[in-house]
Amino acid sequence: MVAEAQFSPEDRTSLWQAIKALENPRWIVRVANALGMPVEKLLGAMPKKLSGFVRDATRAALFKALKVAVYKLNGTGSQNPAGRRYKVSVGVTGAIGGFFGLPALAVELPISTTIMLRSIAAIAQAAGEDLSSPEVRLACLQVFAFAGSTRKDDSAETAYYAVRAALAKSVAEAVTFIGERGVAEESAPVLVRLIAQIAARFGVVVSEKVAAEALPVVGAAGGASINLLFIDHFQNVAQAHFTIRKLERKYGQDAVRAEYERIKRELGL
């Protein structure tokens, strides 16, 4: 194991910033502040009977993202990972969703998710990841599972490394399956299981997004603003995730995890 003193000051600062992004990802607070209303009122805007619709839309969006991850995540060149191109595209889809409301979710969410995935891939590449690797491509998809906790959700299962551990077996099986047979068989248990695990957490943020867009005051302009916050949130989480993976390649996973837990306790998270 690498000793604590062997972490450079710059790397320790990067890890500190990554921990803050991953362990306290309160996207809904930013939305509530932007709309000028309490979080509780915002979360109560979506009728509970629509939760099944949101769940189905989330899984459909992730299956589409899985296909993109496997077949289309090529190198992004010098593209700015947080560049205007991605945010403008997501803003446009958000405007459409805000204008047409919940019925547009089934169309808007897969498009927004795919755009965000491409931005996540650019962030991964900028952090030194090889996008030709199936494992790296699925690591990009995993980012959607790291952004579903809330302030009350403080169990060990919500911690970053715990989520990675929970997904590890499914990701490894999916990498093997995709390498042997591709991703055409969406009903394959190994792929269904992976998507279900990611969707369970990604769906939390999607539900918050739907609740915000369901407000009568939102409209097209508000929908665009909410989607800009949406992509910014996942870009921050992706930056943190791939910063940690980069540090793990340098210091080893055990050393980084030990330092992660130490800093997390220091921050009181």
Side-chain angles (χ1 to χ4, degrees):
M1 180 177 292
V2 179
E4 176 184 325
Q6 291 182 264
F7 282 82
S8 71
E10 294 79 10
D11 287 341
R12 188 171 285 110
T13 297
S14 295
L15 182 57
W16 180 84
Q17 293 171 338
I19 291 168
K20 291 197 71 174
L22 289 165
E23 297 294 341
N24 194 29
R26 294 289 294 161
W27 177 79
I28 192 62
V29 172
R30 294 180 62 190
V31 175
N33 290 339
L35 296 178
M37 65 176 56
V39 172
E40 292 74 16
K41 182 177 181 180
L42 183 58
L43 292 178
M46 187 180 72
K48 295 190 182 301
K49 64 176 62 177
L50 295 179
S51 60
F53 178 77
V54 172
R55 182 187 63 246
D56 292 343
T58 299
R59 292 195 179 193
L62 287 173
F63 266 116
K64 180 178 180 181
L66 175 63
K67 288 187 175 182
V68 170
V70 173
Y71 295 127
K72 299 181 180 180
L73 281 190
N74 298 316
T76 57
S78 59
Q79 179 75 40
N80 180 3
R84 182 177 177 82
R85 168 192 172 192
Y86 298 115
K87 292 187 176 181
V88 168
S89 299
V90 166
V92 170
T93 62
I96 294 172
F99 182 81
F100 290 102
L102 186 63
L105 182 69
V107 176
E108 180 266 320
L109 185 61
I111 296 173
S112 295
T113 303
T114 299
I115 294 169
M116 290 192 296
L117 179 64
R118 291 188 179 279
S119 178
I120 290 167
I123 290 169
Q125 188 176 46
E129 300 279 2
D130 179 6
L131 290 177
S132 67
S133 164
E135 187 276 332
V136 171
R137 295 184 179 203
L138 290 186
C140 292
L141 190 68
Q142 280 180 274
V143 168
F144 294 112
F146 298 132
S149 66
T150 68
R151 183 170 295 177
K152 294 181 179 179
D153 195 2
D154 59 359
S155 68
E157 293 182 357
T158 68
Y160 168 72
Y161 273 107
V163 174
R164 278 181 62 176
L167 292 173
K169 182 179 179 181
S170 294
V171 169
E173 291 175 347
V175 168
T176 300
F177 179 88
I178 291 168
E180 294 175 349
R181 305 176 65 177
V183 73
E185 299 179 44
E186 290 188 4
S187 61
V190 62
L191 299 181
V192 171
R193 182 164 55 252
L194 175 62
I195 292 301
Q197 286 181 285
I198 296 174
R201 299 183 60 78
F202 182 45
V204 173
V205 185
V206 173
S207 294
E208 294 171 347
K209 171 175 144 60
V210 169
E213 291 177 341
L215 296 172
V217 298
V218 171
S225 297
I226 289 169
N227 255 25
L228 287 175
L229 291 174
F230 198 53
I231 187 172
D232 187 64
H233 175 71
F234 282 102
Q235 285 175 336
N236 289 339
V237 171
Q239 187 67 60
H241 176 48
F242 289 107
T243 290
I244 290 174
R245 283 172 59 97
K246 183 177 182 178
L247 293 174
E248 288 175 346
R249 291 193 295 274
K250 183 176 181 179
Y251 296 104
Q253 187 176 104
D254 288 344
V256 174
R257 181 167 186 173
E259 183 69 1
Y260 185 108
E261 295 298 339
R262 189 193 68 77
I263 295 175
K264 182 180 171 183
R265 289 192 298 271
E266 185 179 281
L267 293 173
L269 296 175

